Amino acid sequence: MDPITFSIIRHRLFRVVEEAVITLKHVSGSAITNEGHDLMVSLYQTDGSLLMGGVGFLHHLTSAAEACRAIIRRFHDQIAEGDVFLLNDPYTAALHTSDIYLVSPIHHRGKLVAWSACFVHVSDIGAMNPGGFAPEAQDIFTEGFSSPGIKLIDRGELRQDLWDTILNMVRSPEMVALDLRSMIACNNVARERMLVLIDKYGTRTVDEACAALIDQSEVKLRERLRELPNGRWQSRQYFEVKGEIYRVLLTMTKQDDTLTFDFTGSSPQSKYSVNCSKWAALGGLFAPLFPLLCFDIVWNDGAIRPIKMIAPEGTIVNCTRPAPVSVATVGAIQSVNNAACATIGKMLAASEKYAGEATAVWHANHFAIFMFGNNQRGRLAIGILTETFGGAGGARTFADGVDVGGEIPNPISRMANVETIEAQFPIRYLFRRRLIDSGGPGKFRGGAGGEAAIVAHDAPDGGIHYVVSGKGTRFPQSDGLCGGYPGAVNDYVWVHAPQQPHNVDRFAQSLGEIPGEDEPISWGVFPLMGNDALYLRWDGGGGVGDPLDRPAEKVITDLAAGLISKEAAREVYGVVETAGVIDERATDARRRELRQARLAEGPAP
Amino acid sequence: MRKRISESLFAEAGTICCASCSHPIAPTGASWKKAAALSTIPVRSLPGAASNIEPKIMLRRFACRQCGHLLDTEIALPEDPFLEDVVVV
């Protein structure tokens, strides 16, 4: 086909997805969708294979392809124009029950020509804990309703009985209804724009362009892989729930134009809901792969073909039903994502041509705090603290990570304004800012994470409750690269207010200034009542290179900006300063001393 | 011919070398970490450590035995082996 037509159709497909995303956000009323961009829209071929991956949470691109295939298998001769299918079963294709897929066939003159699929994290799914993340769940049956595929809209007609049944199983039916309607609207727009495209160019031409687009992605990725060195790289992620420690171990092997991700050696599946299913693990490894290796390649089935995953059954990265998985997206999936980011970063760093694309691990641990309770208007409010999407950039081989710079698997994530959250929930922020010493030290420093503290405010019930699924407070997960240190970890502290109300400081500006007794928490449901406070901090990105190679001037700049402490400047970066002025002689001596100290323990055993 | 292994390592004539001082570290084709200087720091001792850090988790630092330049790091519990990275040259 002529390259100009091909290029036009390629860009029109991008625009179809983009416009569908805009629609989704316009109709949705939740902060997790609009602010956190916990969403995804993509187009799929008639067989369910990925045609055009959109932005949003990239974990979902391959899982939604499997969702399309599952719908095709289940409804093969009952798929009609105007249908919309719902699927959210993690053992069929979804990541966890609260990320609902709506999958719609696109027909042109009665013939199936494509599929569109989208997801949002719905406000509630009827799990034992509000909001979808259910740290107290013991199996999939306590994680809300899960469907391996139902027809929600039949030939353009909403099945009211099903609709009412679904909304009858969730805590905030009006918000979940809006979530579902936003996805229906999104798929409608995707279908309409696809039909305009096909009407203009014809089915045969569009099909030809789509096939060429997929082949092009495969050819380009295989070419890129051949340019990269052959080798084997490992990474390991730790996380913990209630004293049990889990490992995700990854060995990535690159051979010629193929890449194999082998998770052999990872921990057995957990009794807690941090597990993930096979499709979720696959999505987890593609989330960093698409932006890091396919930054100029269309994300479609062609880019999937050279990749193989080995995930032993019964492990935390391929659990068996009915193991609980509701925390998967911030549990095992995120660790798979981190591990893949680390090994891909190492491979890129080994390439003269692509070293500039290498990165340390970005914001590696969502804290996923869902608040629930009656708000200042007397209505039930359920929602996430979107700071978890603020993230932190990993350092690159040429630059520092971006402070509060998002995350690899969701290139458009962001957090809501404080005022947005305060308007939705009966809380008040004491402070929210970048977190000192959170970016992983290195020649190039990891981006800083953040910290915040909230108290109850104008709460009709005296406060609110929250669900925290914080499996990442004990182990750093934002790995450094090539000598860089990891970013700091998440932390959650319940500050029990003193008994005497006059001792309460309602304007404290740091954890240390909040009066009361600190209790570290990480897993379960907790109250935020009376004068108590919740302090939280989120992790920074990993650093790249030896911290002693960081120019002293940059260390001083970081010090002045409040991004690092005097202790870090001296003990990690080896910079000696007085009132912000570098003592060059003392700095040279300190850096020699720190290098010498590295040799004191001798060779590795 | 000099071949890049990472930001901090290169290979030449069958040997992996420190990119900072060119000191030979280990033969190519296998993990080089056992031939490096290893120093370990408890993560909880690093600036910015949070209240709940696992006491046993360590930052392993692999450095050039000649110049002390940091070649790689990894987070590990004491019982876990070194992560192995092998670039075919």
Side-chain angles (χ1 to χ4, degrees):
Chain A
M1 98 180 307
D2 78 86
I4 293 175
T5 303
F6 172 74
S7 189
I8 289 171
I9 292 175
R10 182 168 75 102
H11 282 85
R12 287 289 292 269
L13 291 170
F14 276 124
R15 291 299 302 155
V16 169
V17 170
E18 286 179 7
E19 199 168 338
V21 169
I22 291 167
T23 305
L24 180 65
K25 290 171 59 180
H26 281 182
V27 178
S28 169
S30 69
I32 192 169
T33 300
N34 273 300
E35 306 281 359
H37 289 163
D38 193 356
L39 57 84
M40 186 279 304
V41 183
S42 293
L43 298 172
Y44 296 84
Q45 292 196 292
T46 53
D47 65 354
S49 55
L50 179 61
L51 168 61
M52 176 63 71
V55 291
F57 263 108
L58 307 182
H59 303 136
H60 289 273
L61 300 187
T62 50
S63 293
E66 184 55 25
C68 289
R69 293 191 190 100
I71 295 298
I72 293 167
R73 286 193 296 270
R74 179 175 291 267
F75 294 93
H76 53 96
D77 58 352
Q78 301 163 46
I79 297 169
E81 191 167 355
D83 287 349
V84 176
F85 299 90
L86 181 154
L87 187 151
N88 73 329
D89 173 34
Y91 290 99
T92 302
L95 304 189
H96 60 169
T97 51
S98 50
D99 286 352
I100 286 183
Y101 291 132
L102 283 198
V103 177
S104 302
I106 300 173
H107 289 79
H108 183 257
R109 295 175 185 162
K111 182 188 172 196
L112 180 68
V113 292
W115 292 82
S116 67
C118 60
F119 100 91
V120 300
H121 185 119
V122 293
S123 294
D124 190 67
I125 199 67
M128 64 186 299
N129 301 123
F133 290 97
E136 294 172 333
Q138 297 178 343
D139 53 39
I140 186 73
F141 310 117
T142 49
E143 296 187 313
F145 83 85
S146 67
S147 169
I150 50 175
K151 189 180 285 193
L152 185 64
I153 295 178
D154 187 1
R155 298 172 190 267
E157 292 294 322
L158 179 70
R159 294 183 62 188
Q160 195 65 45
D161 53 345
L162 274 180
W163 181 266
D164 293 344
T165 301
I166 291 168
L167 298 185
N168 200 42
M169 292 189 284
V170 299
R171 293 180 179 85
S172 53
E174 72 291 343
M175 289 304 294
V176 175
L178 196 54
D179 287 329
L180 295 175
R181 289 193 186 283
S182 70
M183 289 193 283
I184 293 168
C186 165
N187 279 351
N188 284 345
V189 166
R191 182 184 67 240
E192 288 166 10
R193 298 300 179 267
M194 275 298 286
L195 294 181
V196 169
L197 176 67
I198 294 170
D199 280 340
K200 180 165 185 179
Y201 290 94
T203 307
R204 180 180 293 181
T205 302
V206 173
D207 280 351
E208 195 180 337
C210 291
L213 195 57
I214 289 174
D215 288 344
Q216 183 191 63
S217 291
E218 181 177 4
V219 168
K220 282 189 162 189
L221 181 55
R222 289 191 189 278
E223 279 177 0
R224 175 147 301 149
L225 289 172
R226 280 193 292 271
E227 290 177 316
L228 290 161
N230 287 334
R232 187 177 75 246
W233 296 269
Q234 288 191 314
S235 69
R236 181 174 48 223
Q237 287 269 306
Y238 298 97
F239 55 98
E240 178 265 354
V241 179
K242 299 178 87 167
E244 295 199 10
I245 296 171
Y246 305 99
R247 293 167 175 79
V248 169
L249 180 64
L250 170 60
T251 302
M252 185 189 79
T253 303
K254 187 261 156 178
Q255 178 66 38
D256 298 328
D257 61 357
T258 64
L259 204 51
T260 301
F261 293 81
D262 185 350
F263 292 96
T264 301
S266 297
S267 296
Q269 67 189 47
S270 169
K271 64 183 178 184
Y272 300 111
S273 46
V274 289
N275 304 293
C276 74
S277 64
K278 176 179 68 176
W279 296 112
L282 186 69
L285 75 86
F286 270 103
L289 188 149
F290 282 132
L292 291 177
L293 290 180
C294 303
F295 45 86
D296 56 354
I297 298 172
V298 175
W299 302 341
N300 63 30
D301 193 59
I304 297 171
R305 292 171 183 165
I307 311 301
K308 179 183 176 187
M309 180 183 78
I310 300 168
E313 195 170 322
T315 64
I316 200 157
V317 297
N318 183 5
C319 62
T320 55
R321 188 179 170 89
V325 297
S326 62
V327 184
T329 49
V330 300
I333 299 174
Q334 196 167 16
S335 287
V336 165
N337 165 38
N338 298 335
C341 182
T343 54
I344 293 170
K346 290 179 184 183
M347 177 176 69
L348 291 167
S351 163
E352 292 286 355
K353 181 172 181 179
Y354 291 109
E357 305 295 339
T359 179
V361 175
W362 291 41
H363 169 55
N365 185 18
H366 280 282
F367 51 75
I369 291 179
F370 273 83
M371 294 184 293
F372 65 96
N374 287 319
N375 66 12
Q376 51 272 51
R377 289 174 292 281
R379 299 185 64 178
L380 175 65
I382 303 175
I384 196 168
L385 280 179
T386 58
E387 282 82 359
T388 193
F389 300 113
R396 281 73 49 81
T397 49
F398 60 91
D400 292 345
V402 178
D403 299 332
V404 195
E407 55 182 321
I408 280 275
N410 189 348
I412 59 170
S413 71
R414 67 182 189 193
M415 59 183 174
N417 290 328
V418 164
E419 291 78 8
T420 301
I421 305 300
E422 289 177 337
Q424 187 182 1
F425 295 100
I427 63 167
R428 186 169 61 82
Y429 280 78
L430 296 177
F431 55 86
R432 187 175 86 177
R433 58 171 165 255
R434 295 180 298 183
L435 175 64
I436 192 169
D437 287 335
S438 56
K443 177 181 179 182
F444 298 105
R445 177 182 49 75
E451 62 178 345
I454 56 175
V455 294
H457 180 78
D458 196 16
D461 297 333
I464 197 166
H465 285 73
Y466 56 94
V467 183
V468 56
S469 313
K471 72 288 144 209
T473 62
R474 296 182 74 83
F475 299 97
Q477 294 181 290
S478 304
D479 291 341
L481 179 70
C482 303
Y485 287 20
V489 301
N490 290 7
D491 204 13
Y492 320 94
V493 180
W494 176 5
V495 184
H496 298 265
Q499 294 298 315
Q500 296 81 8
H502 63 273
N503 285 341
V504 174
D505 182 354
R506 304 296 287 179
F507 299 94
Q509 289 299 296
S510 68
L511 174 60
E513 289 181 12
I514 304 173
E517 185 180 342
D518 294 355
E519 178 187 352
I521 55 172
S522 64
W523 189 261
V525 181
F526 299 92
L528 180 62
M529 306 295 283
N531 292 314
D532 289 358
L534 169 63
Y535 169 84
L536 61 93
R537 48 177 271 182
W538 66 93
D539 51 4
V544 170
D546 190 338
L548 298 182
D549 287 347
R550 186 166 179 80
E553 295 76 16
K554 287 193 170 183
V555 175
I556 295 299
T557 301
D558 287 347
L559 192 60
L563 292 171
I564 66 168
S565 62
K566 283 178 175 284
E567 179 195 6
R570 182 179 176 84
E571 302 302 324
V572 179
Y573 291 102
V575 172
V576 181
E577 55 80 37
T578 305
V581 177
I582 302 166
D583 184 333
E584 293 189 2
R585 182 174 294 180
T587 294
D588 287 345
R590 180 64 183 149
R591 288 185 159 182
R592 277 197 303 274
E593 184 183 11
L594 289 172
R595 284 198 178 91
Q596 198 61 36
R598 294 170 178 171
L599 309 179
E601 292 182 36
Chain B
M1 182 182 167
R2 185 171 165 141
K3 182 174 168 58
R4 183 185 173 97
I5 300 292
S6 73
E7 283 286 297
S8 50
L9 296 165
F10 69 89
E12 192 165 38
T15 303
I16 295 173
C17 305
C18 169
S20 180
C21 70
S22 298
H23 180 71
I25 293 175
T28 57
S31 178
W32 53 268
K33 286 182 177 174
K34 286 190 174 177
L38 171 68
S39 57
T40 56
I41 314 174
V43 171
R44 70 187 319 179
S45 72
L46 292 171
S51 62
N52 207 23
I53 284 280
E54 163 64 41
K56 290 192 299 179
I57 192 72
M58 307 295 282
L59 177 68
R60 290 174 177 161
R61 302 183 304 173
F62 301 92
C64 171
R65 294 169 68 178
Q66 174 77 20
C67 68
H69 192 263
L70 210 48
L71 306 173
D72 203 1
T73 60
E74 62 184 44
I75 292 293
L77 288 168
E79 64 269 28
D80 282 329
F82 296 163
L83 296 173
E84 291 213 349
D85 301 327
V86 179
V87 177
V88 177
V89 294

